[in-house]
């Protein structure tokens, strides 16, 4: 798993590549948690290069979203494809999160 | 039928990648698609992580995994532990319609196994849990 971040005007864009599984999910959650502690509140998470996500990854996303909700923040997702899109659909994440085709469309709706 | 591959290791998260790699390589040898292999990896991870977390209730124990193909029609991953009896198929399906605040993630792992696999078979044999994940091989 590799995580990169860039700051846009209205949001912090987090690009995560590789695999979020039970081994790497805590690292992903801690990374986002640090960004929140540093004052970031609006996130776009780009998953276009994410190859794999298990329920451990979903759990880390949900924990982050719950924390952001209590801090008046927001988290949106962009670029879902393949197995990651399938896992989000099966788990009902499409009905609880705002999901966009690209960073650009997610930013337009920030 | 003889297993294509099998391994027995301590039931710890440290071994997750070794176990997933073994299953993944077996699935590749059966000519399954990249998409199907990804789904098999997810289902296998979910089953293993439940065992790592709950089966031995803090005690040490092993997990055994093997793959086999039957008549070229099904690919079967068998996972065995000697922890407390647990039938993952007995869990209720999670409510996937709740919003962020109400949503609990517990149970999603087993739900993914059931949705992604063609069949899932559980039995308790003596002091062992035997879980089989079944994938149809499409020719």
């Amino acid at each position: 798993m590799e995580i990169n971040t860039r700051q846009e005007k209205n949001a912090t864009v987090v690009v995560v590549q590789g695999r979020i599984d039970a081994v790497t999910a805590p690292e992903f959650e801690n990374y986002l948690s640090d960004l929140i502690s540093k004052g970031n509140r609006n996130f776009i998470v780009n998953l276009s290069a994410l190859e794999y996500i298990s329920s451990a990854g979903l759990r880390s996303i949900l924990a982050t979203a719950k924390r952001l909700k209590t801090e008046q923040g927001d988290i949106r997702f962009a670029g879902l494809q393949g197995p990651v899109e399938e896992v989000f659909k099966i788990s009902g994440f499409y009905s609880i999160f705002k999901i966009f085709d690209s960073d650009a469309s997610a930013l337009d709706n920030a | 039928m003889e297993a294509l591959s099998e391994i027995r290791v301590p039931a710890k998260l440290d071994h997750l990648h070794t176990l997933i790699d073994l299953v993944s390589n077996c699935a590749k040898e059966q000519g399954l698609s990249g998409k199907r292999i990804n789904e098999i990896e997810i289902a296998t991870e979910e089953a293993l992580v439940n065992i790592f977390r709950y089966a031995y209730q803090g005690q040490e124990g092993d997990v055994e995994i093997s793959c086999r193909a039957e008549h070229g029609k099904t690919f079967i991953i068998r996972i065995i532990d000697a922890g407390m009896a647990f039938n993952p198929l007995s869990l209720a399906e999670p409510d996937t319609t709740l919003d962020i605040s109400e949503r609990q993630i517990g149970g999603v792992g087993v739900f993914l196994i059931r949705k992604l696999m063609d069949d899932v078979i559980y039995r308790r044999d003596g002091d062992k849990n035997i879980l089989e994940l079944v994938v149809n091989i499409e020719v």
Side-chain angles (χ1 to χ4, degrees), chain A residues 12 28 40 53 74 83 89 94 102:
Chain A
T12 306
F28 178 65
N40 295 273
I53 190 164
D74 190 28
K89 279 186 178 155
Y94 269 79
S102 64

Side-chain angles (χ1 to χ4, degrees), chain A residues 4-70:
Chain A
N4 289 289
T5 307
R6 70 172 196 275
Q7 196 59 47
E8 295 281 351
K9 195 177 163 198
N10 297 323
T12 306
V13 179
V14 177
V15 182
V16 54
Q17 302 178 53
R19 297 168 73 96
I20 306 182
D21 61 17
V23 174
T24 60
E27 188 191 329
F28 178 65
E29 188 175 336
N30 289 338
Y31 187 97
L32 291 171
S33 183
D34 282 350
L35 289 172
I36 298 170
S37 299
K38 286 174 186 155
N40 295 273
R41 288 292 176 274
N42 290 308
F43 290 89
I44 293 170
V45 181
N46 185 306
L47 301 178
S48 59
L50 189 68
E51 296 158 14
Y52 178 102
I53 190 164
S54 64
S55 70
L58 299 180
R59 186 180 282 110
S60 65
I61 286 171
L62 197 62
T64 303
K66 286 188 178 186
R67 179 169 172 202
L68 279 169
K69 195 165 187 184
T70 63

Side-chain angles (χ1 to χ4, degrees), chain A residues 52 54-55 66 86 91, chain B residues 17 38-39 45-46 98 103:
Chain A
Y52 178 102
S54 64
S55 70
K66 286 188 178 186
E86 186 186 12
S91 314
Chain B
H17 290 164
N38 199 301
E39 293 165 348
E45 174 184 328
E46 301 299 349
L98 299 174
R103 193 67 198 276

Side-chain angles (χ1 to χ4, degrees), chain B residues 71-85:
Chain B
H71 316 298
K73 286 185 180 162
T74 51
F75 175 68
I76 300 168
I77 301 127
R78 178 184 282 175
I79 303 170
I80 302 175
D81 69 80
M84 64 169 191

